[in-house]
Amino acid sequence: MADFEMAGICSQYGSSRILFDLSLKVRQGEAVCLLGRNGAGKTTTLKSIVGLAQVTKGAIRYRGKEVAGLPTHKIAQLGIGYVPDERLIFPDLTVRENLALGRKANPNRNGPPWTIERIFELFPLLHRLQDRLGGYLSGGEQQMLTVGRTLMGNPDLLLLDEPVEGVAPIIVQELSRQIKVLKAGGLTILLAEQNIHFAGSIADRAYVIEKGRIRFEGTFDELEQNDDVKRKYLMI
């Protein structure tokens, strides 16, 4: 059985339908990428998982438990961590203070809990910047901080929404390394991304979404060989 599954999901904001019978699966310890252009429905898919978009049909199951319809804080308590594309750090708090605010227990977690010291080992740059206010960080530094703050909640499933959008190439390389470390440690990852090269360096499988519907699913090798899908839905 899949560790995480969305089956026949329809979601909307108000009266605007965004997702149409969307289904995907992520196995424990796997990294899966949801690829698509802007407006395809990637962010809405992640927001549907964490209760920030209205799910009107279908099922969302995590470790066999239905989570669709639960409040966001209850979903987080099950071990699902969400890194939004807006980052949403606290600009008037230091790096260390931002991390401390993300701390929460996950009684179902396997392995050692995340601490600020472990975050600094994963993100050495944040260690050097620990006393700097969040508002004075670069976009890439803020992205690392957002990931670190989410890890402080000790998730078993990490949702990443376009983690390298608008960040410098050197930070892209560093985030790629760090996400690979997380994956090697057994963390299950679902990321939404436009950068197919970044995603391909991390993920085991890919889903391609367009206008709220899944148009392709398979390995990255299979996607690389499918010129029709890349041309129609990814503009490659």
Side-chain angles (χ1 to χ4, degrees):
M1 183 178 69
D3 190 51
F4 173 80
E5 180 179 14
M6 303 179 77
I9 288 295
C10 295
S11 293
Q12 61 190 53
Y13 301 111
S15 60
S16 299
R17 179 73 60 84
I18 307 298
L19 302 183
F20 300 87
D21 296 314
L22 183 143
S23 299
L24 60 81
K25 297 180 180 181
V26 186
R27 293 181 286 271
Q28 184 172 354
E30 187 179 35
V32 172
C33 184
L34 185 63
L35 288 163
R37 292 174 287 195
N38 276 336
K42 303 187 303 298
T43 293
T44 301
T45 300
L46 299 190
K47 286 187 173 182
S48 296
I49 296 169
V50 295
L52 297 176
Q54 182 185 3
V55 175
T56 58
K57 178 184 175 184
I60 302 176
R61 290 182 285 267
Y62 180 57
R63 293 180 170 173
K65 181 179 177 63
E66 178 62 55
V67 302
L70 291 178
T72 299
H73 72 279
K74 292 289 187 182
I75 295 170
Q77 288 171 359
L78 293 174
I80 298 177
Y82 174 49
V83 179
D85 59 350
E86 305 100 325
R87 297 168 187 153
L88 301 178
I89 63 157
F90 294 95
D92 297 327
L93 299 181
T94 67
V95 166
R96 177 175 281 274
E97 290 167 339
N98 267 277
L99 291 173
L101 283 176
R103 184 186 291 115
K104 67 176 181 290
N106 175 5
N108 300 314
R109 178 176 170 79
N110 295 318
W114 283 96
T115 63
I116 291 178
E117 288 67 32
R118 282 191 68 201
I119 297 297
F120 287 159
E121 290 176 8
L122 181 65
F123 298 101
L125 181 59
L126 294 183
H127 189 193
R128 297 194 293 272
L129 299 172
Q130 62 179 298
D131 295 321
R132 183 171 296 182
L133 295 178
Y136 289 92
L137 300 177
S138 71
E141 292 163 354
Q142 289 185 358
Q143 186 63 60
M144 290 182 183
L145 178 56
T146 306
V147 174
R149 184 182 60 188
T150 303
L151 290 174
M152 287 293 292
N154 291 293
D156 297 301
L157 170 62
L158 184 66
L159 310 178
L160 297 167
D161 193 359
E162 305 222 25
V164 298
E165 182 181 19
V167 303
I170 190 170
I171 300 296
V172 172
Q173 294 176 8
E174 187 65 6
L175 281 168
S176 175
R177 180 192 69 79
Q178 291 148 349
I179 294 172
K180 288 176 183 177
V181 169
L182 295 173
K183 178 186 172 186
L187 189 64
T188 304
I189 299 170
L190 174 62
L191 68 151
E193 188 53 72
Q194 290 188 74
N195 187 329
I196 188 172
H197 302 294
F198 170 77
S201 71
I202 295 169
D204 302 292
R205 294 186 298 112
Y207 289 86
V208 175
I209 185 172
E210 190 261 347
K211 294 183 179 178
R213 302 180 188 273
I214 297 296
R215 304 297 186 178
F216 168 89
E217 63 175 284
T219 67
F220 267 89
D221 285 341
E222 291 168 339
L223 178 59
E224 185 61 35
Q225 296 169 19
N226 196 322
D227 293 333
D228 185 51
V229 167
K230 291 190 294 183
R231 182 177 60 255
K232 286 176 65 176
Y233 306 125
L234 301 176
M235 297 182 68
I236 297 176

